[in-house]
Structure formats: C-alpha cells, structure tokens
C-alpha cells in the first residue's frame, strides 16, 4: 500500500438508520437548535401553507349585522301566527312587511324573513302568507358564523385556503407564523455544470439541487440554491464558513463518500462535530450528519435517487420539528412482490416498484435499482423496504408499500410486461388520466411468463417462429395455460434493423459487417424478440455469434441500444427504426415484425382495457404512431387470434369485443 493511502481516513460507518437519526437528533437538541423558534408577521395573502405560531382570535363577528338569509319579505314573526292554508293572512307593504334580498340588513322592527316562494302577491302593496313562522326564521344572526374574540385557529395549524377566508371575514389582515427554516444547498463537483447548459463529454448537469429545493419547499422550508463548487477542500470549506451564519441548516450535495475528492466529512470534522458518516441504508449509504456551532450540516450522496431518499429521511423530519407541524404521511398498502429480489445483509434497502390490481390483489413489480436512475423514481408508484437483516424477498411475498402517488392510480394502472416499444409510451400519454400504462421491459418471453403468473395485465411480444415464419402465436400457446383464454391483439408492425452512428462511419451494410472485429456491437437481452430475430438471421447466414464483437453485451430497451451508439460506446445494434429517429441516428432496415398485445379474457371487458382498445382503433392515434417512424398500423387494434380454453362457436362472440 502506498504511504499516502495508508493515512487516508475513510470514516464510513454502517450505523442503523434509527440509531443514526437518534444520534443526530440528540446532538441537535443538545445544541439548542430547536429551542428558539423564530416567528414573523405576514399578510393574510402570503399565509397559505404557513404554520401559525400562536392561536388566532377573531377581531370581528361574521356576519356583523342581522341579515336576510333568503330573498323574500321581512316581517315581525308575531304577525304570521294565525296564517294557514285555509286561513291565509294578508300583510301590507312598509307597515307589516318590507321586500329584502339575500344579505340585506334586517329592518330593526322585523325579526323574520318569508321566502318569496311562499308568498302570494294579491296587489301592488299586499301579499298573502299561508304559514306561520318563528322569530329569526331565514335570518342570519350577527355572529352566526364567527363571534368576535372566539378562537379561529389553534397554534401550529397549517393555513389552508378556507382558513384564509375565515380570517378575512373576521377582520384579520396579518397573522404571526413560524418562520420557515432557511436551508442552503451547496452542490459540489468539478464535473458539474448548470442544468440549463449543454454538457460536454465528462461534464454532468447539476439538477440535484432542484430536487432538494422542491422537496424543501413542499415541506414548508425556504431553500437557497448555490452554483456548483469545484472539488477542492479549501474552496468548499471557505464557502461554508462564509455562508453558514445566513442559514438555519446547510446541505452539501455529493462528496459525502470516501473517495479522494470526497471532502464533506473532513470539512465537517474540521469545522465542528462529525456525528455520523455512513448509514445502513441502500441507496444512500454515505450520508454525513454533523454540527458546526448550532447549525446542522447534512451531506447527501450525489446519485439523484440517493439524494431524494436521504433528503426525505433526514431533512423532512427537521423541517417538521422546526415548524412543529407534521406533513402528510405517505399512504401505505400491502402488495405481493412479483419477482424474487436479493438484498445485502446489514442495510435497509429501498426498492422502487410499480403497482397494479390483478385478480383483486395488488401486485408490486420491481423497477430499476440503480441509485443514479432518477427516472425510476418518476415512474415508481411506491417504495418497498427490505429490512437490513433480510437477504431479500421471495416471489409472491406480501410486502408493505409506501405510496409515492395517489392510491387511485393503482386501480387505473395497466401493467404491461414484455418487450419495450415506444408506442406504449404514446398510449400512456393519450389515456392519462383515465388509464396509466406501466411498462416492465423484461423481453417478450419474460412478458409471457409474467402474464402466466398473474404478475401483469398484458404481455407485449414480438417473437418469430423460425419454423412457421409467423409471429407470437406459437410462443403464446407454449407459455400460457390452455385453461385460460387469451386474446392476441395487434399493436403494430415495426421495422427492425441496424441502428448506426450518423452517416454510418463504419460502413455497416449487412449482418456480414458484424464479423469485423473493429465494429462494436450491442445486443438485446436473452428472451427478447429482437434477440430471437437476430439469432434467426445469424443462423440463416451461417454466422457464429462468437465472431461478433459485443454479442454478449446486453441492453433492455431499443432506446438504450440507441443511446449507447449515440455516446459512441458501440457502433451498431439491432433495434426499431423509431428509436433511431428519436436519437438522430442512421438506420439500415433488416426486417418487418409484428408486435402484439396478449390480453387475458378475464379482463377484456374492464373499463381500462376497453379504453385501450378504443384508442388502438382511433385514426388520430394511428397517425401519431406512424409519425414516430418505422411503424405500420394496418392491423392495429385487430384481433389476431384467441387461444386457450375456447369452444369453436364462441369465437365470433370474442371477435365482437373488438
């Protein structure tokens, strides 16, 4: 080991989450951070979402005078005592009654209002009434809504629109609220550039601070974003020293691990007290928690998923404690996990999942795990916690899911498992908010297996039968139970071919070009329809896959293949034309294939599936799909075949469903 490496202090611990939070909270409490709560007076117009620092008392009564509660006539109730259907009473205007509209002040000598619908006008100044009324009938009494000096709102109350209205009606113009904690966000990293600039190779857009800022605002805090700070110990340290007295809490994003340029822990230790460096959670392990004087310092990991998760775990509770108000708790549901998940012992692991209802049960399908995959949080419906002493989850195991979206969305989700297709994304944008498409890109065969296990509503497949030359039917019959009925519905025909870099610099023309060792190929995963098509074509041309440079390198979507070629880490890959168009790449056609949706008969009549089928037969939608490039919608939405347990005479009935 080199001499300078032996002296490096790594700090990283593996403290259980609860213990880390307790240590941090205890240190903050001992510092007196929570003792002095700052308050400010603000105008009523600014008060939405703010937390009251003391009770709010009404200054005026509402209404502040007796008023008519209905359109009609104001009377003295005693003049109506003898009125009945058989013996109506006549009243004279100005003397015994006065016309009033809703909200008019009640004349001083009157104490009730008769609705206009219950009056029979017999002349210009005379009316008949047919029922007696008690005093103050249809009258809004002074203070009926709010009485001056009564308590309108308690201490530690979060102001809502209706609260603002009540305060305004009772004469309140300003209120005293708890001053939201001021929180500074310092992103660090020499490779970072502003999110609204085009990064060069080696540069990364800095958007974590936007995520943190939005979360802080959502929880009631005030956030202040700083531009990225370069990875230099003294630069970061001096920035912290210069700015620390302006804020209640400081967040340093990235640099919290133990690499050679990860300085957060060392800076906190040099300026104050390092309380925790490393918690037993995944993602988000390298968290830094400390104090500089009385100011809490939180070092969040740089990967966006880790940033968001640790912000929720450590920043949110602090804001709630300062404001003495708890934000809405995440709703939880129970679900059955659709796939086995392995997990490392010793860490609480948070898994992102999509949710759907199948056979009246909620199922949870895991999605991408990487801490850098921010889109996985965008697409996720919820989080599943795998406890730190568990080795993972078994397929079908019941789990508790913390919802990231409204519970109603679960019922609206259509879980599509199988091959990736851009048209599915377009479907989701058309059907929202009635229906949401949640795609799990696990390959065509994986989709059929998932459908057979009741882990998905629909399988999306494009599997070529080498013997018949037909698509999908053979494989659907092979993998799906013949005791159930399934409908094979066409989504589209797609052009598959070689995605290559602009202007095709490697002059790739055919499958034979792949044998060239200078050409880097990128493949799709085993079980995908694209992989099966490739293997079929290679077999037809007597090409050994072992002779292809990159045949074993796999991606799970057509866009991922295109992205690898765009970034020049690969020269060519097999994919659909629309992916090449989307990324500005060139394309060499190879074959047309049929992409179908496999839909169980038991859900074909449900509203969400019917909405989907109606869309597939909509001309406007077909045009949109064809505009993506490489699509033919000639049979879109048409029934290709019904398979499984089915009597011949029922075929026409099923066809009528479409």
């Amino acid at each position: 080991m080199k001499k300078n490496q032996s002296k490096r202090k790594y700090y990283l611990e593996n403290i259980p989450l609860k213990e880390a939070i307790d240590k941090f909270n205890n240190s903050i409490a001992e510092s007196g951070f929570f003792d002095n709560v700052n308050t400010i007076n603000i105008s009523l117009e600014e008060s939405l979402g703010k937390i009251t620092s003391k009770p709010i008392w009404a200054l005026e009564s509402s209404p502040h005078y007796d008023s008519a509660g209905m359109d009609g006539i104001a009377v003295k109730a005693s003049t109506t005592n003898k009125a009945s259907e058989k013996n109506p009473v006549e009243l004279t205007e100005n003397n015994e009654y006065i016309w009033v509209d809703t909200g008019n002040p009640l004349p001083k000598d009157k104490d009730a209002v008769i609705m206009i619908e219950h009056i029979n006008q017999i002349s210009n100044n005379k009316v008949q009434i047919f029922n007696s009324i008690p005093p103050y009938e249809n009258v809004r009494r002074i203070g009926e809504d709010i009485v001056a000096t009564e308590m309108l709102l308690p201490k530690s109350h979060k102001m809502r629109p209706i609260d603002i209205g009540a305060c305004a009606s009772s004469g309140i113009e300003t209120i005293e609220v708890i001053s939201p904690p001021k929180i500074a966000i310092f992103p660090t990293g020499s490779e970072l550039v502003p999110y609204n600039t085009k990064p060069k190779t080696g540069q990364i857009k800095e958007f974590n601070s936007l995520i943190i800022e939005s979360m802080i605002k959502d929880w009631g805090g005030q956030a202040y974003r700083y531009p990225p700070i370069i990875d230099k110990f003294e630069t970061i340290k001096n920035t912290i020293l210069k700015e620390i007295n302006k804020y209640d809490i400081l967040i340093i994003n990235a640099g919290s691990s133990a690499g050679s340029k990860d300085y957060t822990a060392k800076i906190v230790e040099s300026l104050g007290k390092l309380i925790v460096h490393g918690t037993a959670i995944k993602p988000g392990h390298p968290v830094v928690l400390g104090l500089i004087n009385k100011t809490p310092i939180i070092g969040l990991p740089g990967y966006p998923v880790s940033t968001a998760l640790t912000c929720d775990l450590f920043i949110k509770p602090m804001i709630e404690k300062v404001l003495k108000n708890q934000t809405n708790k995440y709703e939880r549901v129970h679900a059955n996990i659709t796939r086995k998940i392995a997990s490392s012992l010793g860490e609480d692991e948070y898994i992102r999942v999509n949710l759907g209802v199948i056979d009246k049960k909620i199922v949870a399908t895991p999605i991408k795990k990487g801490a850098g995959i921010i889109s996985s949080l965008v697409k996720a419906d919820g989080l599943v916690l795998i406890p730190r002493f568990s080795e993972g989850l078994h397929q079908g195991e019941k789990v508790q899911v913390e919802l990231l979206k409204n519970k109603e969305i679960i019922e609206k989700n259509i879980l599509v498992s199988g091959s990736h297709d851009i048209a599915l994304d377009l479907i989701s944008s058309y059907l929202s908010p009635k229906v949401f498409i949640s795609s799990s890109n696990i390959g065509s065969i994986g989709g059929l297996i998932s459908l057979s296990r009741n882990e998905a509503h629909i399988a999306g497949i494009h599997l070529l039968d080498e013997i018949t030359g037909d698509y999908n039917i053979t494989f659907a019959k092979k993998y799906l139970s013949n005791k159930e009925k399934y409908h094979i519905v066409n989504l589209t025909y797609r052009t598959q071919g070689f995605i290559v870099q602009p202007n095709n610099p490697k002059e790739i023309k055919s499958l034979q070009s792949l044998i060239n060792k200078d050409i880097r190929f990128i493949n799709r995963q085993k079980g995908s329809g694209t992989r099966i098509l490739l293997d079929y074509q290679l077999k037809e041309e007597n090409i050994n896959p072992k002779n292809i440079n990159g045949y074993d390198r796999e991606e799970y979507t057509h866009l991922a293949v295109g992205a690898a070629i765009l970034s020049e880490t690969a020269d060519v890959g097999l994919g659909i034309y629309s992916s090449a168009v989307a990324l500005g790449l060139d394309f060499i056609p190879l074959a047309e294939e049929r992409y179908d949706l496999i839909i169980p008969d038991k859900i074909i009549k449900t509203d969400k599936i019917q909405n989907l089928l109606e869309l597939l037969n909509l001309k406007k939608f077909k045009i949109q799909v064809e505009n993506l490039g490489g699509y033919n919608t000639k049979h879109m939405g048409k029934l290709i075949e019904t398979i499984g347990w089915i009597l011949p005479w029922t075929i026409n009935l099923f066809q009528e469903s479409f």
Side-chain angles (χ1 to χ4, degrees), residues 330-337 350-356 362-365 380-385 393 397-405 407 410:
Y330 296 114
E331 193 172 0
R332 288 176 168 80
V333 297
H334 286 93
N336 296 99
I337 201 80
Y350 291 85
I351 303 296
R352 287 137 275 169
V353 296
N354 288 133
L355 299 169
I362 300 176
V363 298
T365 301
D381 298 319
L383 293 173
V384 173
L385 171 62
L393 300 171
E397 185 174 340
K398 182 167 280 191
V399 295
Q400 188 179 72
V401 184
E402 188 175 88
L403 296 182
L404 299 176
K405 297 178 182 176
K407 189 177 180 180
I410 302 173

Side-chain angles (χ1 to χ4, degrees), residues 33-105:
F33 175 77
F34 294 116
D35 293 345
N36 299 316
V37 177
N38 296 321
T39 63
I40 53 173
N41 280 300
I42 61 173
S43 69
L44 204 55
E45 291 93 335
E46 301 174 277
S47 66
L48 183 64
K50 300 298 190 292
I51 310 300
T52 58
S53 60
K54 61 183 181 181
I56 296 177
W57 307 89
L59 299 179
E60 300 172 2
S61 295
S62 177
H64 61 278
Y65 58 87
D66 289 344
S67 63
M70 298 285 180
D71 295 339
I73 59 173
V75 299
K76 196 166 183 64
S78 59
T79 63
T80 71
N81 287 344
K82 296 180 180 180
S84 68
E85 291 286 342
K86 293 182 179 181
N87 297 297
V89 170
E90 291 186 5
L91 302 175
T92 304
E93 189 175 5
N94 294 327
N95 183 25
E96 295 171 304
Y97 75 86
I98 295 175
W99 288 102
V100 291
D101 293 327
T102 302
N104 286 165

Side-chain angles (χ1 to χ4, degrees), residues 146-261:
I146 299 169
V147 177
T149 73
E150 78 169 282
M151 189 177 78
L152 277 181
L153 300 169
K155 177 182 177 182
S156 300
H157 178 82
K158 186 174 183 178
M159 293 294 291
R160 304 167 298 172
I162 197 65
D163 302 325
I164 295 173
C167 289
S169 71
S170 62
I172 296 169
E173 298 179 12
T174 62
I175 62 171
E176 185 180 291
V177 298
I178 298 175
S179 181
K182 296 179 180 179
I183 305 175
I185 306 163
F186 297 98
T188 65
S190 301
E191 74 281 10
L192 299 180
V193 295
Y195 75 93
N196 54 357
T197 61
K198 189 172 180 62
K200 299 176 183 177
T201 301
Q203 293 181 329
I204 299 173
K205 286 188 176 187
E206 196 291 295
F207 57 84
N208 277 354
S209 62
L210 281 173
I211 299 173
I212 301 169
E213 178 187 40
S214 301
M215 295 176 86
I216 289 169
K217 287 180 177 178
D218 190 40
W219 298 326
Q222 286 183 315
Y224 301 85
R225 290 191 298 118
Y226 278 72
I229 307 172
I230 61 173
D231 282 321
K232 288 188 177 180
F233 181 90
E234 291 299 328
T235 303
I236 300 171
K237 179 180 176 181
N238 291 336
T239 302
I240 299 301
L241 279 173
K242 180 182 176 183
E243 304 295 327
I244 193 166
N245 292 327
K246 299 178 184 178
Y247 302 102
D248 301 305
I249 300 170
L250 262 62
I251 296 173
I252 304 173
N253 186 222
S256 63
S257 192
S260 60
K261 293 186 178 181

Side-chain angles (χ1 to χ4, degrees), residues 379-394:
K379 296 174 182 177
D381 298 319
L383 293 173
V384 173
L385 171 62
I386 302 178
R388 61 191 298 260
F389 293 117
S390 169
E391 292 184 350
L393 300 171
H394 297 289

Side-chain angles (χ1 to χ4, degrees), residues 602-652:
K602 61 187 176 183
I603 65 169
I604 200 75
K605 292 291 187 181
T606 60
D607 289 344
K608 58 188 176 186
I609 300 300
Q610 286 297 308
N611 282 329
L612 169 62
L613 295 175
E614 287 172 12
L615 177 65
L616 296 185
N617 285 285
L618 191 65
K619 184 178 180 180
K620 182 172 70 172
F621 178 72
K622 293 179 181 181
I623 292 172
Q624 285 291 315
V625 171
E626 292 193 346
N627 286 342
L628 293 171
Y631 285 102
N632 186 324
T633 61
K634 59 185 176 182
H635 293 151
M636 178 177 278
K638 303 302 180 185
L639 177 66
I640 302 298
E641 187 163 331
T642 297
I643 63 171
W645 186 82
I646 179 170
L647 296 172
W649 60 268
T650 63
I651 292 177
N652 288 335

